[in-house]
Amino acid sequence: MTSLRVDVPDEEDKASSSSQSVNMRRKKSDEKWTSDSWTMKGILQSPGAIMSSLSRRKFEDFGRRSSVEPYSRAADMAKYRSTLEMRDSRKEGEKSGKSGKKKKYKPEFREIHFEPKVSQNPNLEAFRKEDNRVVTSKYNIVTFLPIFLFEIFNRVAYLYFLIQAGLSWWSVVSPYSGIGATMALVFVLLVAGVKAVWEDVKRHREDEILNKSITHRLLPDGSVEDISWTDVKVGDAIMVKDGENFPADLLCLYSDLKDNVCFIRTTNLDGETNLKIRKPVDLKDGNEHVTYQDLLDLDLTLKAENPNSNLHSFKGTITVRNHVYKDMSFSPSEDGDSKPSLDIPVTMNEMLLRGCTLKNSNHIVGLVVYAGKETRIQRNSTKTPLKIGSFDRFLNFQISLVILMQLAMCIVLAVLNYVWIRNTGVNHPYLALTFYVEGVYSNGFVQIVLNFFTFWILLSYLVPISLFVTLEIVKFWQGFIFINFDKMMRNPVTKEHAICRNSNLNEDLGKVEYVFSDKTGTLTSNEMQLRRISIKGDMYGDIEKRLEDDQDVVGISALKYFDQRLSTAAKVMMGLPLLDSAISRGGSSKQVMAFHSSKPSVGTATDLGLPHQSVNLEDFQIEDEDPGSPKPSKDSELELTPQSALALGHHMTDFFTNICLCHSLILESTADSDKPIYQGPSPDEVALVDAARQLGFEFVNRSQGNLTLNMLGKEVTYEILNVMEYSSDRGCMSVVARTPDGSIRLYCKGSDTKVMAKIREGTDKNLLTKTDNDLHTFAREGLRTLVLASKVIPEDEYNEWDNRYQEASCLFEGRDDALNELGLEIERDLELIGVTAIEDKLQEGVPAAIETLLDAGMRVWMITGDKQETAVNIAVSCNLVKDIENLITINVGDSEDPEKYAMEMLQGAEKRIFHKYTQEVQSVTDIEQIPDSWQGGELTIDGPTLTHVLGDDKMKWKLAQIVARCSGVVVSRSSPSQKASVIQMMKEYEMTKAAGNSKRFIRWYKRYRRRLQGKMLSIGDGANDVAMIQTADVGIGIMGKEGRQAVNSSDYAISQFRFLVPLLLIHGNLSYYRLSRLIKYSFYKNITFAFVMFYYQFYNGYSGQALVDSITAAVFNVVFTSLPILLFAVLDRPVGSLSAFIRYPQLYDKRNNKSLTTLSFWKSGVFLGIIHGAVCFFIPYYCVTTLGRRSITDVYSLGKVTFAALLGAVTLEVALIARYWTWVFFWIVLLSYFLMYPYFLIFPYVELALSFYDPANIGVAIQVLGSPVFWFVILVCYVITFGMRFIEKTVQWIFYPHDSMILAEKEHIGERKGKHLLSDLSGASAHRLRALATIGRDSRPVHDSSDVLDETEITQQTMSADGEEVSSAPNETDSIQNWASLNSRKVPV
């Protein structure tokens, strides 16, 4: 096989003018280039490129004008970029070869053969084994058991219970039967397993939805079949239609557009909404279009680099074999049976990556290069992490400490037992302790060890196994009932509810400190709308007026609705008539356009040629004037004068002509509407042109370099002469057009910084000042601004410039620089026309949501792939950036030494933080002295700068120090991996800062404690957010328009950003509140029980004798004490109205919260249990007396007395900590205690019926309950235990109340007066809560806690089949406390 190549000239080529013939431009290389050589000395071109050929300095034939058609310009630009990219790759290879250094990136390759007519391609078999399935689930049938057990036994508690269950079967040492401990462990594992399976089944279903999406495969006979994404294989030819996502990474072979180009939206990859250009591989001459038959006749081999994560670069080559190449004069003849071949380089410009969407291209056909896990988007994602909730981490450590305590207790008791036997026990012959039998051993060490295991099992109640069952049930209920069916988080349009995918993290929702959010599709709805304009320094329109709300209002009526002054001016222009002449010449005359204001004096109007004398404004009044029309600013009077109406009419024509001409849009017909829709790479352009159409200035058609407009009913055609595209360097777009009257005008539109620099010197300073003020006003309102400018170009000046422009457009080397210089030349001395202000429509309630999150003490970051200017505008719109004038900006730009410049900028940012803190609080000498609670800074940084910062530990640490003192941070132009790196950076910073200079265990403990505190949450909607979602402690997916990959990788899913507020502030707060008390109470009751057993050992010779039988002990955990705390953990709340959590977001801040810390756990969960255990043992032990027939001095009678005292004490404790009593909870608490007495009396008869004689129960209850001492003793125990806690709580409520306590008291006082917590809202708070749909217009909660749902309805709703709409599902805000069909009103306490 032979291959051909063509040299593309480099910068050193000096040859040749435009007079060279096409044949002379063709050159056969003296050196061979093979597909194995990546140190290229030449650049390969397509057959079309060889046949058309490139001159050694020219990019195209000199005689051809640069195209003004959007598709043609896009195709030319795509080819040009591909050629430049290949040239740069060659130079890099040459440079590496000359220097002798290895390449920074050396790819390895795979070969993919594509020949549709050949059914079997053996070299594809290895690649086709890789299916296109994407899996986000954690388990499958094979891996579930090992992974689940590994996760479970990674927790100290479950490992403890496993050892405990094993020891309990050793009858020599166990005081209890092994069945109970084993069944308890199996039950706990079963509950946890069912919960894990339930959650993972949801993931499997969501994966199936994605994997079963339909795409289209091109068959060898030319037909197309529909297949699922799962069936897509490497080497397939896949057809993708407009609006469809690419199912794999494809090499574009065919586009249905005539210009051999296609457009894609890469929002899923980089967050950008503007369309990107891609082109098919040049398989034919550049002027010929590839047909389906050409595809079917292909015989090619793609040599592509192996799968990697690079989203911006691709290296490969296609070897095309075809007999037609033998006819080319420079092609070798056939050699044997092999065909002549041609090698065509491939770059990223021909690649269509999975996750992107095809737009405005009808359809394409692509060759699958990478599928499934090999695709670039999957290479940028990480494996679904096994996230562990902070309470699970907390329990691991605390249980370890409790086990150490148990270990010490068992050693002490075992040693005391040995000492007692040797010193005291042998003196009691009836104990027979001198006979060495089972239980009594001559070897002291054996005696101690075996007794140690006995006490270990006896005191196993120190760690409550019931806690873990209760935790699983409560978390399941919180997640899959409360969160999944909360009406506050139900999308009113799509009817989608929130989804809890990982209830293990429920408590972490209540302690979020950082929120990292994507922009596009997460904060914004990606809908641009024109809101206001400024013409010659006067503002028009109102941000509250929304044209899109009434599409039927068009023309003069729409102008009137937008601003009455504009409609009046338009009527004057149409009535004289002056509009026709203004439109024909492309706008106002040169003198009028140059005038600095739309309010000329009478004399000036006469000088400008404005016939104001003939104008009577009363003749142009519009009937049915809208009283709600926007009011003018102070600088502009609503009452127009005749001369100002004429001037405004002309300037308005300039303004809207610019909008209708200066763009790259195309029209696309739709079946749904008679009106064509506008499509283009910039959503800003679409918004402007669409709004102009509604206002009466319509872009009608584009054909053969002409644009047809309809300006207030008059149709005109402009010839487009030149188009200077927008680029980030230029910052503007310009169009040169020939107007209907033959004159030539330039229309420019772009950013204020770029366009204002092009304005004519000598422009009125007052106009510049007013325009600058308008720009600042729009920026503060969060609107995206573009400045419009124009000028008239003399014919001779234009012709001379155009000759140079056409020549520059044909250059290969230095083309961009030459065109930019010519653009700057023609764009001088422009006349300022006005400013447009576009709203990137935020999702409903986003500003209020961010304000609430900031008030709750969270730091909110926006991390987006979009450009910085756009990101900052959105940040201002959504209240993330409140002081744009003092926004800290860190951008290295094109600095020669970016690392040094980045460090200088970071140091400058640090000084600004110092200065601001010093001004607001006090002077400091080190940034670490500024407390975390102060968040006065706001910062923005771009992705290229972030690359340098993250690569240097010192800069990374300094950046983290700065942003930790910022309430709002905007990161723009960031890649998916950078999003994850930013979160990891802040994690490392917080850990390192918490550890300080500590060593070893202290360092570990401080890091552990910090890990349990503030959590990091990320939220996004696209595939580019997956890495960020998985890296954060809590990942939230938005169920938006960009696919389901973010949702499938998330822990929780919501449909709108504002739902994050109830998710965190209500569900997070309640989960944290309930679970923390559940943990402390569960340990409290079990430690109380265990210490009763412990104290008794000091009175039974440390024998390991249990005071309570094993069945009663099991019933204590499973029946008597489980339901009250379970119901508490499901229903209790610190305040009655859940909307109060949103009304008072400060309740969320957990920085100083001591609800569940090591200290509070040991105080309330351990030491309190030790004290109450002492009360419940020692008082009964020393108070029981011999009373003849009613004697209760035996061990089992004493056990019943202590058990009753113990149960009453722990029941009163759960009643005391409850803050929200319902009738359900009231009756459960009473029943859980009073059922003890029937149990005492009835259970012995059950045992007898089963022929089981149990001396610990039979006859004991009657003896105990008949003794007055029993009732007196338990009453004393209740008074002491409850009294201690009541006094403690009273002191806390009076002298050291929590915020929630004060709020509860306020609520209680308000209820007496018939008010609720939302009755006294300020205007700002009411506006915020209405935006979050928390209250209605009457300021009452939207979801009032007085709603009642019966048990049957709730059961039907919660058990409804998957996929069915749940129309009225229960949630906490709808009183799920009515779960037992009881009234949810508080019990008067």
Side-chain angles (χ1 to χ4, degrees):
M1 182 187 305
T2 59
S3 57
L4 300 178
R5 72 171 176 89
V6 169
D7 281 335
V8 172
D10 56 24
E11 296 171 348
E12 297 176 357
D13 290 326
K14 302 293 181 183
S16 60
S17 67
S18 58
S19 60
Q20 286 180 295
S21 67
V22 172
N23 290 332
M24 288 297 294
R25 292 180 220 152
R26 294 174 181 162
K27 178 182 179 183
K28 184 178 178 182
S29 172
D30 296 328
E31 302 178 24
K32 275 193 173 183
W33 187 96
T34 66
S35 58
D36 294 325
S37 172
W38 277 87
T39 305
M40 296 184 292
K41 294 186 178 179
I43 292 295
L44 301 180
Q45 295 297 298
S46 67
I50 289 177
M51 296 168 70
S52 299
S53 191
L54 297 174
S55 72
R56 299 192 58 84
R57 281 188 59 86
K58 303 294 182 182
F59 182 63
E60 295 180 7
D61 291 324
F62 178 77
R64 175 186 167 190
R65 287 186 61 86
S66 61
S67 176
V68 295
E69 290 293 322
Y71 281 151
S72 299
R73 291 203 315 272
D76 289 344
M77 183 56 64
K79 293 176 182 177
Y80 179 65
R81 283 206 311 265
S82 291
T83 309
L84 284 182
E85 188 173 330
M86 290 182 288
R87 193 276 314 275
D88 292 341
S89 177
R90 178 202 62 182
K91 286 189 175 182
E92 181 183 351
E94 290 179 344
K95 186 176 180 180
S96 298
K98 291 177 181 178
S99 63
K101 296 180 180 179
K102 291 184 178 180
K103 285 186 180 182
K104 191 172 183 180
Y105 172 65
K106 185 178 180 180
E108 297 179 354
F109 299 93
R110 60 164 53 174
E111 287 192 358
I112 301 173
H113 186 68
F114 179 71
E115 190 174 5
K117 292 185 176 180
V118 178
S119 58
Q120 296 294 329
N121 290 325
N123 71 318
L124 285 181
E125 293 305 315
F127 305 129
R128 293 179 71 87
K129 292 178 181 177
E130 178 71 34
D131 64 23
N132 200 40
R133 180 181 297 272
V134 171
V135 177
T136 62
S137 56
K138 293 166 64 176
Y139 316 112
N140 58 40
I141 295 177
V142 176
T143 64
F144 170 72
L145 201 56
I147 294 178
F148 171 72
L149 292 178
F150 175 78
E151 289 180 10
I152 283 292
F153 291 119
N154 257 342
R155 305 181 190 178
V156 175
Y158 285 97
L159 189 61
Y160 170 85
F161 296 136
L162 178 65
I163 296 172
Q164 198 75 37
L167 287 175
S168 65
W169 287 97
W170 190 2
S171 59
V172 174
V173 299
S174 177
Y176 301 127
S177 169
I179 296 176
T182 304
M183 292 304 295
L185 178 61
V186 170
F187 178 70
V188 171
L189 293 177
L190 187 62
V191 170
V194 169
K195 175 174 165 287
V197 169
W198 180 283
E199 292 178 350
D200 209 53
V201 164
K202 296 280 187 181
R203 297 189 186 98
H204 276 282
R205 289 176 179 171
E206 288 159 358
D207 286 344
E208 284 301 301
I209 292 174
L210 179 65
N211 292 324
K212 288 185 178 179
S213 301
I214 298 300
T215 190
H216 324 283
R217 179 161 55 197
L218 184 65
L219 301 178
D221 61 359
S223 62
V224 177
E225 67 169 346
D226 289 345
I227 60 172
S228 67
W229 280 24
T230 305
D231 297 329
V232 172
K233 303 289 185 182
V234 173
D236 285 346
I238 299 296
M239 176 187 290
V240 180
K241 301 178 181 177
D242 254 357
E244 294 180 345
N245 289 341
F246 301 117
D249 288 352
L250 309 178
L251 173 68
C252 189
L253 299 176
Y254 168 87
S255 173
D256 195 49
L257 294 181
K258 62 179 181 180
D259 294 288
N260 256 8
V261 70
C262 63
F263 297 94
I264 64 172
R265 177 164 288 162
T266 60
T267 309
N268 257 335
L269 290 181
D270 53 25
E272 293 190 16
T273 56
N274 57 305
L275 301 184
K276 305 293 195 316
I277 305 167
R278 294 292 184 268
K279 70 179 188 68
V281 177
D282 291 324
L283 297 172
K284 299 183 70 177
D285 188 288
N287 297 322
E288 293 188 48
H289 197 265
V290 176
T291 65
Y292 279 128
Q293 189 57 48
D294 293 327
L295 291 179
L296 299 177
D297 292 338
L298 279 178
D299 177 7
L300 61 82
T301 298
L302 169 66
K303 192 166 189 179
E305 59 188 355
N306 278 345
N308 60 73
S309 59
N310 193 331
L311 296 173
H312 307 290
S313 174
F314 176 85
K315 293 184 179 180
T317 183
I318 285 183
T319 301
V320 184
R321 289 171 287 276
N322 198 310
H323 289 285
V324 299
Y325 299 143
K326 69 179 181 179
D327 298 326
M328 300 170 69
S329 59
F330 46 84
S331 174
S333 59
E334 294 187 47
D335 182 14
D337 295 330
S338 64
K339 300 177 184 177
S341 66
L342 188 75
D343 291 329
I344 306 172
V346 179
T347 68
M348 187 56 78
N349 288 298
E350 291 82 28
M351 292 298 295
L352 309 171
L353 301 185
R354 176 175 177 143
C356 298
T357 307
L358 185 69
K359 301 296 290 185
N360 308 335
S361 306
N362 298 330
H363 64 270
I364 62 93
V365 176
L367 174 67
V368 178
V369 182
Y370 309 113
K373 297 177 182 178
E374 294 183 341
T375 57
R376 297 289 167 100
I377 189 66
Q378 287 299 308
R379 288 276 173 165
N380 272 276
S381 64
T382 56
K383 186 179 180 182
T384 304
L386 303 176
K387 296 184 181 180
I388 300 176
S390 58
F391 283 176
D392 288 326
R393 294 182 185 276
F394 177 83
L395 285 174
N396 280 344
F397 181 65
Q398 303 306 327
I399 288 173
S400 299
L401 296 181
V402 171
I403 290 174
L404 289 177
M405 182 180 73
Q406 180 183 358
L407 183 66
M409 292 166 63
C410 292
I411 292 174
V412 169
L413 290 177
V415 172
L416 289 176
N417 170 262
Y418 176 76
V419 173
W420 187 86
I421 290 176
R422 292 293 182 263
N423 296 326
T424 305
V426 294
N427 297 328
H428 299 281
Y430 59 87
L431 295 178
L433 294 178
T434 56
F435 297 93
Y436 299 114
V437 294
E438 187 176 290
V440 180
Y441 304 95
S442 59
N443 189 306
F445 178 76
V446 173
Q447 180 74 30
I448 291 174
V449 170
L450 294 180
N451 275 316
F452 169 84
F453 288 121
T454 299
F455 292 123
W456 183 270
I457 297 170
L458 180 70
L459 299 178
S460 61
Y461 287 97
L462 284 169
V463 180
I465 192 171
S466 61
L467 166 64
F468 297 92
V469 179
T470 309
L471 271 177
E472 297 293 348
I473 294 173
V474 169
K475 285 187 174 184
F476 176 86
W477 194 268
Q478 288 173 341
F480 294 96
I481 303 299
F482 289 164
I483 293 177
N484 283 11
F485 297 124
D486 188 347
K487 288 181 181 177
M488 286 186 72
M489 298 192 292
R490 183 187 185 193
N491 191 314
V493 178
T494 64
K495 309 302 180 186
E496 290 179 305
H497 285 271
I499 301 174
C500 172
R501 294 167 47 85
N502 185 1
S503 61
N504 288 331
L505 305 179
N506 286 354
E507 66 269 22
D508 289 343
L509 293 174
K511 51 201 313 187
V512 172
E513 188 175 347
Y514 288 87
V515 175
F516 301 93
S517 175
D518 179 41
K519 179 185 72 70
T520 307
T522 302
L523 298 177
T524 68
S525 55
N526 198 25
E527 297 177 15
M528 309 291 184
Q529 300 293 345
L530 179 66
R531 288 288 174 255
R532 306 185 71 181
I533 63 175
S534 170
I535 300 178
K536 290 295 181 178
D538 291 325
M539 287 190 290
Y540 301 89
D542 189 325
I543 196 170
E544 300 300 327
K545 292 285 186 179
R546 301 181 178 274
L547 290 170
E548 70 275 10
D549 290 344
D550 195 346
Q551 294 288 338
D552 295 331
V553 179
V554 296
I556 293 294
S557 299
L559 269 177
K560 173 189 168 187
Y561 176 79
F562 188 77
D563 196 299
Q564 184 178 335
R565 292 167 292 177
L566 297 179
S567 60
T568 302
K571 293 285 285 184
V572 170
M573 293 286 290
M574 295 168 68
L576 283 183
L578 295 174
L579 184 65
D580 290 356
S581 60
I583 293 174
S584 295
R585 62 173 173 261
S588 59
S589 65
K590 189 173 183 179
Q591 294 80 6
V592 173
M593 182 170 60
F595 190 67
H596 64 271
S597 172
S598 295
K599 298 190 292 291
S601 64
V602 173
T604 303
T606 302
D607 294 340
L608 293 174
L610 300 176
H612 58 90
Q613 298 89 350
S614 59
V615 175
N616 181 5
L617 289 180
E618 293 182 359
D619 297 338
F620 302 101
Q621 292 299 319
I622 302 176
E623 298 180 359
D624 301 324
E625 183 175 329
D626 182 8
S629 178
K631 301 299 181 185
S633 66
K634 293 181 180 179
D635 295 331
S636 298
E637 294 80 12
L638 179 61
E639 297 78 10
L640 294 174
T641 62
Q643 61 269 21
S644 64
L646 285 172
L648 176 58
H650 281 84
H651 291 155
M652 180 176 62
T653 306
D654 291 328
F655 187 91
F656 285 105
T657 302
N658 191 311
I659 288 177
C660 292
L661 289 177
C662 189
H663 59 77
S664 299
L665 303 185
I666 59 172
L667 292 99
E668 183 177 290
S669 301
T670 61
D672 301 334
S673 174
D674 297 334
K675 217 168 32 174
I677 63 173
Y678 299 124
Q679 295 281 7
S682 171
D684 297 71
E685 286 185 345
V686 174
L688 287 175
V689 177
D690 206 35
R693 173 167 60 182
Q694 189 172 354
L695 294 172
F697 305 90
E698 182 179 2
F699 160 45
V700 177
N701 189 29
R702 184 191 293 273
S703 61
Q704 299 297 323
N706 295 328
L707 255 68
T708 302
L709 311 182
N710 186 315
M711 309 291 282
L712 292 175
K714 178 178 175 59
E715 194 165 289
V716 289
T717 299
Y718 291 79
E719 180 186 358
I720 305 301
L721 302 176
N722 306 93
V723 177
M724 287 157 281
E725 291 283 4
Y726 174 89
S727 69
S728 57
D729 292 332
R730 280 175 42 77
C732 65
M733 175 184 181
S734 293
V735 169
V736 179
R738 189 179 296 281
T739 64
D741 71 350
S743 61
I744 298 175
R745 295 201 178 204
L746 179 141
Y747 301 90
C748 181
K749 175 184 67 184
S751 68
D752 56 314
T753 55
K754 298 293 185 180
V755 178
M756 293 297 284
K758 302 174 187 289
I759 300 302
R760 173 178 56 85
E761 290 185 11
T763 299
D764 185 79
K765 292 183 179 179
N766 188 42
L767 171 60
L768 297 177
T769 301
K770 290 169 65 177
T771 302
D772 189 60
N773 292 337
D774 292 345
L775 286 166
H776 280 82
T777 300
F778 295 152
R780 285 193 298 270
E781 292 174 346
L783 302 177
R784 300 155 62 103
T785 56
L786 292 171
V787 177
L788 309 184
S790 185
K791 77 171 184 179
V792 177
I793 307 176
E795 184 83 27
D796 293 342
E797 178 184 336
Y798 169 74
N799 289 333
E800 189 274 333
W801 174 87
D802 183 58
N803 289 334
R804 289 184 288 125
Y805 183 85
Q806 297 303 326
E807 183 175 357
S809 66
C810 297
L811 292 175
F812 181 75
E813 292 297 339
R815 179 178 184 237
D816 289 342
D817 292 339
L819 291 177
N820 286 342
E821 288 178 7
L822 287 167
L824 291 173
E825 178 184 326
I826 199 67
E827 289 167 349
R828 294 173 186 164
D829 300 328
L830 302 182
E831 299 294 346
L832 178 59
I833 303 299
V835 179
T836 65
I838 302 171
E839 178 186 32
D840 187 354
K841 191 174 180 182
L842 296 173
Q843 290 186 15
E844 183 182 355
V846 166
I850 289 183
E851 180 184 354
T852 304
L853 296 177
L854 294 174
D855 288 343
M858 301 181 216
R859 298 174 175 90
V860 182
W861 292 37
M862 178 198 295
I863 310 181
T864 177
D866 213 341
K867 59 185 179 182
Q868 191 168 57
E869 182 183 8
T870 304
V872 171
N873 282 337
I874 295 300
V876 173
S877 301
C878 62
N879 291 338
L880 177 58
V881 172
K882 298 180 180 178
D883 186 5
I884 193 171
E885 301 295 334
N886 292 314
L887 179 67
I888 300 171
T889 302
I890 303 178
N891 292 341
V892 296
D894 298 325
S895 172
E896 294 181 0
D897 190 349
E899 287 81 6
K900 181 180 178 181
Y901 189 48
M903 177 57 79
E904 291 174 354
M905 298 196 75
L906 288 172
Q907 290 169 347
E910 186 178 37
K911 290 178 181 178
R912 290 180 63 179
I913 293 289
F914 273 144
H915 180 67
K916 185 165 186 175
Y917 183 76
T918 301
Q919 282 187 324
E920 295 182 3
V921 188
Q922 62 183 9
S923 179
V924 292
T925 58
D926 186 81
I927 194 170
E928 290 297 340
Q929 295 176 352
I930 302 177
D932 288 345
S933 56
W934 185 85
Q935 300 171 20
E938 294 175 335
L939 179 142
T940 178
I941 185 172
D942 64 356
T945 305
L946 199 61
T947 301
H948 300 297
V949 172
L950 294 177
D952 183 277
D953 291 340
K954 187 176 180 180
M955 284 196 290
K956 184 164 65 173
W957 176 259
K958 188 169 288 291
L959 175 64
Q961 285 180 313
I962 295 169
V963 296
R965 275 80 184 172
C966 295
S967 60
V969 178
V970 179
V971 181
S972 58
R973 308 296 286 176
S974 58
S975 65
S977 58
Q978 279 183 326
K979 291 184 177 186
S981 297
V982 166
I983 298 176
Q984 194 61 42
M985 175 188 75
M986 295 312 299
K987 280 185 178 181
E988 294 172 359
Y989 168 76
E990 293 293 348
M991 290 292 180
T992 305
K993 180 184 173 186
N997 296 322
S998 304
K999 302 292 185 181
R1000 297 174 185 172
F1001 176 77
I1002 301 299
R1003 179 180 179 83
W1004 174 87
Y1005 177 71
K1006 286 183 176 180
R1007 290 175 64 90
Y1008 153 81
R1009 189 172 59 183
R1010 181 62 184 83
R1011 189 179 290 115
L1012 299 181
Q1013 293 171 355
K1015 294 293 181 177
M1016 298 189 180
L1017 177 147
S1018 61
I1019 178 170
D1021 72 318
N1024 62 319
D1025 302 315
V1026 169
M1028 176 175 73
I1029 287 172
Q1030 293 180 339
T1031 302
D1033 298 313
V1034 181
I1036 310 291
I1038 294 286
M1039 295 178 282
K1041 303 174 183 178
E1042 302 299 337
R1044 305 285 292 188
Q1045 197 157 347
V1047 171
N1048 293 351
S1049 302
S1050 66
D1051 303 303
Y1052 302 87
I1054 54 180
S1055 56
Q1056 293 184 9
F1057 181 86
R1058 65 185 173 96
F1059 295 154
L1060 191 61
V1061 172
L1063 181 66
L1064 299 183
L1065 270 61
I1066 294 181
H1067 294 285
N1069 254 327
L1070 289 177
S1071 295
Y1072 183 89
Y1073 167 83
R1074 292 165 174 171
L1075 294 174
S1076 63
R1077 283 156 179 79
L1078 167 64
I1079 290 170
K1080 289 189 293 187
Y1081 177 80
S1082 296
F1083 272 91
Y1084 155 78
K1085 69 181 181 65
N1086 273 56
I1087 286 176
T1088 303
F1089 183 89
F1091 264 84
V1092 167
M1093 300 293 182
F1094 175 74
Y1095 294 137
Y1096 182 56
Q1097 300 309 307
F1098 290 88
Y1099 298 90
N1100 65 16
Y1102 314 101
S1103 62
Q1105 172 65 44
L1107 192 59
V1108 178
D1109 66 280
S1110 60
I1111 296 177
T1112 302
V1115 171
F1116 172 82
N1117 265 322
V1118 176
V1119 180
F1120 295 140
T1121 61
S1122 60
L1123 283 181
I1125 190 59
L1126 175 62
L1127 208 59
F1128 170 92
V1130 169
L1131 299 180
D1132 198 63
R1133 57 181 73 168
V1135 291
S1137 173
L1138 296 179
S1139 299
F1141 288 113
I1142 301 177
R1143 167 69 177 86
Y1144 302 99
Q1146 294 79 7
L1147 291 172
Y1148 184 86
D1149 197 340
K1150 298 295 190 299
R1151 287 186 181 88
N1152 299 316
N1153 190 288
K1154 308 295 183 184
S1155 181
L1156 189 62
T1157 61
T1158 299
L1159 181 61
S1160 65
F1161 171 82
W1162 281 82
K1163 173 180 171 290
S1164 302
V1166 179
F1167 294 136
L1168 183 65
I1170 295 172
I1171 295 171
H1172 283 194
V1175 172
C1176 294
F1177 173 77
F1178 287 112
I1179 290 179
Y1181 185 83
Y1182 285 107
C1183 288
V1184 295
T1185 58
T1186 302
L1187 298 175
R1189 293 178 58 193
R1190 297 296 181 184
S1191 173
I1192 53 175
T1193 57
D1194 62 284
V1195 62
Y1196 296 120
S1197 296
L1198 178 61
K1200 290 291 186 284
V1201 177
T1202 57
F1203 184 86
L1206 173 66
L1207 181 60
V1210 299
T1211 303
L1212 287 172
E1213 175 66 18
V1214 75
L1216 188 63
I1217 64 174
R1219 302 267 289 275
Y1220 190 80
W1221 279 69
T1222 63
W1223 285 109
V1224 178
F1225 184 70
F1226 175 78
W1227 286 113
I1228 290 294
V1229 168
L1230 289 181
L1231 288 174
S1232 67
Y1233 174 73
F1234 285 107
L1235 280 177
M1236 172 185 64
Y1237 299 107
Y1239 168 78
F1240 279 170
L1241 296 171
I1242 297 173
F1243 184 68
Y1245 294 101
V1246 175
E1247 289 183 318
L1248 287 174
L1250 297 174
S1251 301
F1252 178 70
Y1253 182 80
D1254 184 2
N1257 288 308
I1258 296 175
V1260 177
I1262 297 175
Q1263 186 79 3
V1264 171
L1265 296 178
S1267 171
V1269 174
F1270 166 77
W1271 301 102
F1272 175 76
V1273 166
I1274 63 172
L1275 181 61
V1276 171
C1277 291
Y1278 299 160
V1279 170
I1280 294 175
T1281 55
F1282 181 78
M1284 290 169 53
R1285 291 287 287 152
F1286 184 79
I1287 293 172
E1288 179 189 348
K1289 287 287 183 183
T1290 302
V1291 170
Q1292 183 183 21
W1293 273 78
I1294 296 175
F1295 298 105
Y1296 311 104
H1298 298 152
D1299 292 341
S1300 61
M1301 294 178 178
I1302 298 172
L1303 203 58
E1305 190 171 335
K1306 179 181 178 182
E1307 183 180 40
H1308 181 64
I1309 295 172
E1311 286 177 350
R1312 292 181 183 176
K1313 299 178 180 179
K1315 297 182 178 181
H1316 52 83
L1317 284 174
L1318 305 183
S1319 298
D1320 58 346
L1321 292 173
S1322 65
S1325 295
H1327 178 75
R1328 178 173 62 86
L1329 295 182
R1330 287 192 188 101
L1332 294 173
T1334 304
I1335 61 172
R1337 295 192 176 274
D1338 58 355
S1339 293
R1340 293 195 62 84
V1342 173
H1343 303 288
D1344 200 329
S1345 61
S1346 61
D1347 297 341
V1348 178
L1349 298 172
D1350 62 42
E1351 184 180 13
T1352 305
E1353 181 184 2
I1354 290 175
T1355 304
Q1356 290 173 348
Q1357 290 164 345
T1358 55
M1359 297 300 291
S1360 63
D1362 291 334
E1364 297 181 2
E1365 180 182 340
V1366 183
S1367 60
S1368 180
N1371 61 27
E1372 296 190 70
T1373 53
D1374 288 326
S1375 305
I1376 194 61
Q1377 62 268 25
N1378 299 299
W1379 168 52
S1381 194
L1382 294 170
N1383 194 342
S1384 66
R1385 298 182 183 276
K1386 288 185 180 180
V1387 178
V1389 179

